[in-house]
Amino acid sequence: MAFAFRRLTVLVAVGVCLALVPAASRAATLERTSKTQERATAARKMYENTNAARVMHHMRRLSRAHGLTDEATAHARAMARRGDLFHSSGPKRYGVRCWTWGENVGFTSGSIFELHRAFMKSVSHRRNVLNRAFERVAVGAATDSRGRLFVTLFFCS
């Protein structure tokens, strides 16, 4: 009888553990999904802020450089992993041809608008945002372990 009771106890314990594994897995999946959505939202907001600045200066909007979005995101992730800002080696690295190329990289512990405002206060970053030669932009975003948001913008024409 004691053996059967122990066996039943072990089976119940194993069953409870197995029931908890999918719940933990779902929680981890939701957390990853949430972070992915946050990065996508940050990239979308930077794209919108960039175009808003161009419209304010009576310039045409930039279309999305869909072919470079994965590369911009990968670059932002690389910066977040290192915890440092650095530029890429340009469009040829990604197999993309551009007549004109520009790149803005930055990070913020605040809002995406604060980073956009910092870009607009910097002569070289502002020049990229307002360059009439550019037709497309790809935006990538990633968060580091300290919660800082790293952003890469690839401008191309």
Side-chain angles (χ1 to χ4, degrees), residues 3-69:
F3 175 73
F5 180 73
R6 272 189 249 136
R7 188 172 182 193
L8 180 62
T9 303
V10 168
L11 287 174
V12 169
V14 169
V16 168
C17 288
L18 289 176
L20 292 177
V21 168
S25 177
R26 279 192 302 275
T29 300
L30 288 174
E31 183 176 333
R32 281 192 303 274
T33 301
S34 175
K35 288 185 181 190
T36 301
Q37 288 172 341
E38 284 177 30
R39 289 188 297 267
T41 299
R44 181 183 48 78
K45 285 182 179 180
M46 181 58 79
Y47 174 75
E48 290 169 356
N49 287 331
T50 299
N51 273 326
R54 291 176 64 88
V55 168
M56 278 181 30
H57 288 85
H58 309 288
M59 300 174 68
R60 65 177 154 58
R61 294 175 163 278
L62 298 171
S63 62
R64 289 187 185 264
H66 292 290
L68 284 170
T69 300

Side-chain angles (χ1 to χ4, degrees), residues 1 16 28 33 43-45 47 51 54-55 58 70 78 81 99 102 108-109 112 129 131 133 138 144 147 156:
M1 180 80 157
V16 168
T33 301
R44 181 183 48 78
K45 285 182 179 180
Y47 174 75
N51 273 326
R54 291 176 64 88
V55 168
H58 309 288
D70 289 344
R81 268 193 309 277
W99 292 104
T108 182
S109 297
I112 199 73
V129 171
N131 187 329
D144 71 1
C156 189

Side-chain angles (χ1 to χ4, degrees), residues 67-111:
L68 284 170
T69 300
D70 289 344
E71 287 78 7
T73 301
H75 187 76
R77 285 183 184 144
M79 292 189 303
R81 268 193 309 277
R82 281 196 207 174
D84 196 16
L85 295 176
F86 55 91
H87 286 277
S88 75
S89 54
K92 289 182 183 177
R93 175 178 185 210
Y94 306 113
V96 175
R97 290 191 178 172
C98 294
W99 292 104
T100 308
W101 170 262
E103 181 178 315
N104 285 357
V105 296
F107 75 89
T108 182
S109 297
S111 72

